């Protein structure tokens, strides 16, 4: 191969490669320039700074050697004296670079092979970059392709300008694909890897179903109806929550379609997966009641701090609310983001009665009162002696059969009881060897100090070295199940924010960090 060969041939090669690989023609020309420059260096020396340029319009090739202009030469391969440079360019100065044109030459077999490898590598890199840039912008969309092959249960899909993988665990259970089958899937990730961009598809992803509804329901595509949440048990059952921005349009009816045509199209694509379409509501209780359809709900009790909700259903609705193998309540929990406990009316009544009896017994023992007074306090909604001790006296006095003196006496007894408990806890703290300094850390009660001591946290430094999870506990996945790991202060209804504040207070107390400077309103105004 001669570098001086047909100019037009170089451009024809560049055009053909650019079309075949669907990359920019200029990238191919740049790769050819690099390849020619590399071959020229093998002829003129590896240290020589050789540059090749192909004119993109005429195909004319120019090979030049760049030399640094210096006052004293240290490397003849890359440097030239100022006097010699000025013979070619009178304006040349030390520190400038001058280009020295090299004559055309014939490639040897090894140089030609090396140049070919450079071009192939550059074109391959450009093709990979093009694929990555194209498909990363399609993350979150449904793509269509042809099954190219099946390897160990994983499906390799030809997307036209790239290959994607649909892993075995991203396939709907029991579905089979053969080479040549058409396939639709959700593109959820594109990663740069050594062997090129890896494109990952899924047919089990919750958003796959949401995107299918977007394709089937024009109102979702136009933004009139919004899909708020999706939960799936792939191949079996799913729930999707929708809301309409136009009050005249029923979101559930629009998703179902005439005679169920729209939802059936999605069901068909998902291999018969049953779909419950749920009206979304900003009210958590209403949304959870809707999510448990088709079961009927009698009552809900929310615990917003723990993000748990108790749902009371009629006895005959229990199995329907839970679903086969807990499927209905599990999907409802995923859809709403709340932990849901299901109770029957009989179970709830029994539990409430048990709690009433336990609270009555607690008040009788702690306050040294008879059963009638204990029941009165329990029926008024008091759940602990603390509540009685610190409630406004007039609230106690307003209970039927109580007067101001009775209220004051009951509060005094409640306070005495709490003082005894506090003294007992403090004795236990001392017996465990918990330092008095730890008592001064803001946010800790004596009961918490005892719990910390039982977990070998006995000094300010011990507490300062704790992590938030050590105090609150944490949840992790083990064998596909959520496993709860208890914290040192489990049972104290301690939020992560509270735990972080306690640890930071301990670190300030231990001198590990400085206390944050408080900015007062008047300082801020200045």
């Amino acid at each position: 191969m001669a570098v001086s060969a047909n100019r037009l041939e170089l451009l024809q090669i560049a055009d053909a490669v650019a079309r075949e690989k669907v990359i920019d023609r200029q990238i191919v020309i740049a790769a050819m320039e690099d390849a020619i420059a590399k071959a020229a260096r093998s002829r003129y020396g590896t240290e020589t700074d050789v540059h090749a340029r192909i004119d993109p319009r005429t195909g004319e090739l120019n090979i030049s050697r760049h030399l640094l202009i210096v006052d004293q030469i240290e490397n003849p391969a890359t440097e030239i004296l100022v006097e010699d440079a000025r013979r070619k360019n009178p304006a040349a100065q030390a520190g400038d670079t001058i280009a020295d044109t090299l004559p055309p030459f014939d490639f040897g077999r090894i140089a030609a092979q090396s140049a070919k490898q450079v071009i192939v590598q550059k074109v391959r890199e450009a093709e990979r970059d093009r694929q990555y840039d194209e498909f990363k912008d399609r993350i979150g969309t449904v793509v269509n392709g042809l099954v190219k092959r099946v390897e160990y249960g994983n499906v390799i899909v030809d997307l036209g300008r790239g290959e994607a993988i649909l892993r075995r665990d991203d396939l709907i259970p029991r579905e089979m694909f053969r080479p040549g089958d058409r396939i639709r899937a959700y593109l959820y990730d594109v990663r740069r890897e050594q062997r090129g961009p890896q494109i990952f598809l899924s047919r089990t992803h919750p958003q796959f179903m949401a995107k299918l509804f977007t394709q089937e329901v024009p109102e979702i595509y136009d933004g009139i109806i919004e899909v708020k949440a999706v939960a799936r048990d792939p191949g079996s059952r799913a729930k999707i929550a929708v809301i309409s921005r136009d009050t005249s349009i029923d979101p559930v009816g629009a998703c179902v379609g005439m005679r169920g045509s729209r939802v059936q199209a999605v069901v068909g694509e998902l291999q018969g997966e049953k779909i419950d379409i749920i009206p979304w509501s900003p009210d958590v209780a209403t949304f959870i009641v809707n999510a448990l359809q088709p079961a009927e709900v009698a009552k809900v009790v929310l615990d917003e701090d723990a993000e748990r909700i108790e749902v009371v259903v009629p006895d005959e609705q229990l199995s329907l609310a839970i679903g086969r193998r807990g499927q209905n309540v599990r999907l409802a929990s995923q859809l709403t983001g709340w932990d849901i406990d299901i109770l029957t009316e009989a179970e709830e009544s029994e539990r409430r009665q048990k709690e009433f009896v336990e609270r009555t017994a607690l008040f009788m023992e702690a306050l040294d009162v008879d059963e009638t007074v204990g029941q009165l306090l329990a029926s008024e909604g008091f759940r602990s002696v603390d509540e009685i001790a610190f409630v406004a006296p007039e609230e106690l006095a307003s209970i039927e059969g109580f007067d101001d003196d009775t209220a004051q006496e009951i509060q005094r007894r409640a306070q005495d009881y709490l003082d005894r408990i506090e003294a007992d806890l403090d004795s236990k703290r001392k017996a465990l060897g918990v330092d008095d300094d730890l008592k001064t850390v803001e946010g800790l009660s004596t009961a918490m100090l005892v719990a910390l001591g039982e977990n070998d946290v006995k000094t300010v430094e011990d507490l300062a070295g704790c992590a938030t999870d050590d105090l609150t506990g944490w949840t992790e996945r083990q064998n596909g199940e959520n496993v709860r790991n208890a914290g040192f202060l489990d049972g104290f209804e301690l939020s992560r924010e509270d735990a972080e504040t306690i640890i930071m207070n301990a670190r300030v107390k231990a001198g590990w960090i400085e206390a944050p400077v408080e900015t007062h309103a008047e300082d801020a105004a200045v």
Side-chain angles (χ1 to χ4, degrees):
M1 174 181 172
V3 171
S4 57
N6 192 332
R7 302 173 184 176
L8 188 59
E9 188 177 335
L10 289 175
L11 295 183
Q12 288 172 341
I13 293 170
D15 289 338
V17 173
R19 280 195 303 272
E20 181 186 350
K21 301 298 184 181
V22 198
I23 59 177
D24 187 1
R25 174 177 180 261
Q26 190 55 44
I27 292 175
V28 181
I29 291 176
M32 296 172 76
E33 291 172 345
D34 287 346
I36 292 170
K38 183 177 181 182
R41 278 193 291 274
S42 69
R43 180 185 178 91
Y44 294 108
T46 55
E47 290 186 2
T48 308
D49 185 13
V50 178
H51 293 256
R53 184 180 179 280
I54 300 171
D55 190 304
R57 289 173 296 181
T58 64
E60 184 177 347
L61 173 65
N62 176 268
I63 304 174
S64 61
R65 175 179 60 175
H66 286 200
L67 298 169
L68 179 65
I69 303 171
V70 295
D71 292 322
Q72 185 176 353
I73 291 178
E74 293 181 3
N75 186 349
T78 60
E79 296 172 346
I80 186 172
L81 288 173
V82 176
E83 307 88 70
D84 296 336
R86 283 179 178 164
R87 293 192 190 102
K88 300 179 182 181
N89 180 4
Q93 298 289 333
D96 293 345
T97 300
I98 190 169
D100 186 15
T101 302
L102 298 174
F105 65 94
D106 289 337
F107 277 61
R109 183 180 61 82
I110 295 175
Q113 185 66 28
S114 177
K116 179 182 176 183
Q117 288 174 352
V118 170
I119 294 173
V120 169
Q121 179 64 26
K122 293 283 185 181
V123 169
R124 184 180 293 127
E125 289 174 1
E127 186 180 14
R128 288 172 175 174
D129 289 341
R130 189 266 307 159
Q131 281 185 355
Y132 179 79
D133 292 338
E134 177 182 345
F135 286 101
K136 75 178 174 59
D137 295 332
R138 296 173 68 182
I139 291 174
T141 64
V142 172
V143 295
N144 297 286
L146 285 173
V147 175
K148 195 169 184 179
R149 61 186 183 276
V150 180
E151 299 175 346
Y152 307 106
N154 302 321
V155 179
I156 310 303
V157 181
D158 183 359
L159 299 178
R161 293 188 176 182
E163 278 188 6
I165 183 169
L166 183 58
R167 293 186 291 200
R168 184 169 49 193
D169 53 355
D170 285 318
L171 286 165
I172 296 172
R174 298 180 300 280
E175 71 177 350
M176 299 287 291
F177 289 101
R178 294 182 176 83
D181 288 350
R182 294 204 65 81
I183 190 170
R184 275 202 289 183
Y186 180 76
L187 198 164
Y188 70 90
D189 195 15
V190 180
R191 302 175 195 161
R192 283 189 188 274
E193 293 190 7
Q194 193 69 30
R195 56 188 176 181
Q198 295 296 296
I199 303 164
F200 295 94
L201 305 180
S202 174
R203 286 175 56 81
T204 60
H205 198 288
Q207 285 302 311
F208 180 47
M209 187 176 76
K211 295 299 180 183
L212 290 176
F213 269 104
T214 301
Q215 293 179 354
E216 297 294 337
V217 182
E219 291 87 349
I220 296 179
Y221 182 82
D222 293 337
I224 299 170
I225 294 174
E226 181 184 356
V227 176
K228 298 291 285 187
V230 182
R232 288 183 65 193
D233 192 349
S236 177
R237 192 171 178 185
K239 291 179 184 284
I240 179 169
V242 292
I243 187 172
S244 175
R245 301 183 187 278
D246 186 340
T247 54
S248 64
I249 295 178
D250 173 22
V252 176
C255 292
V256 171
M258 188 71 70
R259 296 179 182 174
S261 58
R262 292 174 175 177
V263 71
Q264 284 306 316
V266 177
V267 168
E269 180 65 39
L270 299 179
Q271 306 296 316
E273 196 170 304
K274 295 183 178 67
I275 300 174
D276 296 332
I277 303 173
I278 307 297
W280 184 84
S281 172
D283 179 66
V284 174
T286 303
F287 183 30
I288 290 174
V289 169
N290 293 341
L292 284 168
Q293 291 178 5
E296 296 176 5
V297 175
K299 186 169 65 173
V300 296
V301 180
L302 267 73
D303 182 349
E304 293 187 0
D305 292 335
E307 288 198 352
R308 295 187 69 85
I309 188 167
E310 285 185 357
V311 176
V312 182
V313 298
D315 292 19
E316 66 276 8
Q317 292 282 315
L318 180 62
S319 59
L320 192 60
I322 294 174
R324 186 178 61 182
R325 297 177 183 172
Q327 186 183 64
N328 191 54
V329 69
R330 184 174 67 251
L331 289 175
S333 181
Q334 291 174 13
L335 191 73
T336 60
W338 284 68
D339 291 330
I340 301 174
D341 294 329
I342 304 251
L343 300 173
T344 64
E345 291 176 325
E347 287 172 338
E348 197 232 1
S349 175
E350 182 181 344
R351 195 193 68 181
R352 289 193 174 280
Q353 184 59 34
K354 182 181 178 183
E355 288 177 353
F356 180 80
V357 170
E358 288 174 351
R359 287 205 301 270
T360 299
L362 170 65
F363 296 149
M364 288 172 64
E365 180 182 355
L367 306 176
D368 191 19
V369 295
D370 60 25
E371 186 176 11
T372 303
V373 175
Q375 288 177 343
L376 276 172
L377 292 170
S379 62
E380 286 293 324
F382 291 108
R383 292 174 298 178
S384 67
V385 178
D386 295 66
E387 291 182 6
I388 295 172
F390 299 109
V391 73
E394 54 270 20
E395 192 171 328
L396 272 178
S398 66
I399 297 174
E400 187 176 353
F402 282 20
D403 55 22
D404 290 342
D405 292 340
T406 305
Q408 289 175 8
E409 177 61 22
I410 287 176
Q411 282 199 308
R412 185 189 64 77
R413 294 184 184 186
Q415 191 63 58
D416 289 345
Y417 173 78
L418 294 178
D419 290 343
R420 290 196 303 274
I421 295 294
E422 181 72 11
D424 290 343
L425 288 171
D426 200 47
S427 297
K428 193 171 183 181
R429 171 191 69 80
K430 292 176 180 176
L432 288 167
V434 178
D435 282 359
D436 289 344
D437 278 353
L438 203 55
K439 290 177 66 176
T440 63
V441 175
E442 190 176 344
L444 289 176
S445 66
T446 309
M448 289 179 179
L449 293 172
V450 170
L452 290 174
E454 289 172 343
N455 286 281
D456 210 29
V457 177
K458 300 181 179 180
T459 66
V460 173
E461 287 74 17
D462 290 343
L463 180 57
C466 289
T468 304
D469 285 347
D470 292 334
L471 303 190
T472 62
W474 71 97
T475 302
E476 62 182 341
R477 297 285 289 180
Q478 292 184 7
N479 301 322
E481 298 280 335
N482 284 333
V483 178
R484 166 73 181 165
N485 295 280
F488 300 159
L489 298 182
D490 258 14
F492 288 95
E493 297 183 358
L494 192 72
S495 69
R496 291 188 64 83
E497 292 75 15
D498 292 340
E500 288 170 4
T501 302
I502 290 171
I503 292 170
M504 292 303 289
N505 290 340
R507 290 173 181 174
V508 171
K509 183 78 177 172
W512 292 10
I513 61 174
E514 292 184 6
V517 178
E518 294 185 6
T519 303
H520 297 286
E522 57 268 24
D523 296 334
V526 173

